Amino acid sequence: MDTRVKRTQRDYTMAFKLAVVAQVEKGELTYRQAQARYGIQGRSTVLTWLRKHGRLSWGVAASSAAMPIDKTPTPLTPEQQIKALQVQLKQAQQKAQLFEAVIDVLKKDYGVRVVKKPSGKSSSKTSSKG
């Protein structure tokens, strides 16, 4: 027979709440593990504490792994932006080279004629049946 006493929000001291929040934020426990270990009955009680008292940004849709969600991304420096754009450009160029190679293989090995459409043209064909 389970003799657990139901707890209410008033039973939790601020020190207890902060200790649980600290353990979750350090990665020692997930919020669900903290619930189970300390007998916290409310499903979202620990998440509420994390949002109110935590040092990290905890989103409303926190997962069972309790990963913090950073709502405000840190702005990139101009050098970081340039680097990121260079990486994107390199990836786009590699992708274009791949597509060109695929087209060449289709032409040479399979005799498939690939016609590039001019930009702005729709790929859907319209047919009118009367």
Side-chain angles (χ1 to χ4, degrees), residues 39-115:
I40 301 167
Q41 293 180 353
R43 288 185 180 180
S44 62
T45 302
V46 176
L47 286 176
T48 303
W49 295 348
L50 288 165
R51 288 186 200 110
K52 286 182 181 179
H53 309 296
R55 295 177 186 228
L56 303 174
S57 295
W58 293 87
V60 174
S63 67
S64 62
M67 295 301 295
I69 298 172
D70 190 7
K71 294 180 182 176
T72 56
T74 56
L76 298 177
T77 64
E79 293 82 14
Q80 291 172 326
Q81 289 176 338
I82 291 170
K83 183 70 175 169
L85 290 172
Q86 287 173 338
V87 168
Q88 287 178 359
L89 176 61
K90 186 175 181 178
Q91 290 173 343
Q93 288 171 337
Q94 289 173 343
K95 198 179 214 182
Q97 287 176 347
L98 172 71
F99 290 145
E100 291 296 327
V102 169
I103 289 171
D104 288 343
V105 168
L106 287 173
K107 285 180 186 176
K108 292 177 186 172
D109 295 349
Y110 298 100
V112 176
R113 183 170 171 248
V114 178
V115 179

Side-chain angles (χ1 to χ4, degrees), residues 24-42:
V24 172
E25 288 190 337
K26 286 179 188 173
E28 295 172 6
L29 299 171
T30 65
Y31 78 93
R32 288 188 183 188
Q33 289 170 336
Q35 263 179 250
R37 178 176 286 176
Y38 298 114
I40 301 167
Q41 293 180 353

Side-chain angles (χ1 to χ4, degrees), residues 109-130:
D109 295 349
Y110 298 100
V112 176
R113 183 170 171 248
V114 178
V115 179
K116 295 181 185 177
K117 293 185 179 187
S119 61
K121 297 286 184 179
S122 173
S123 63
S124 63
K125 294 181 179 179
T126 57
S127 62
S128 58
K129 292 184 180 179

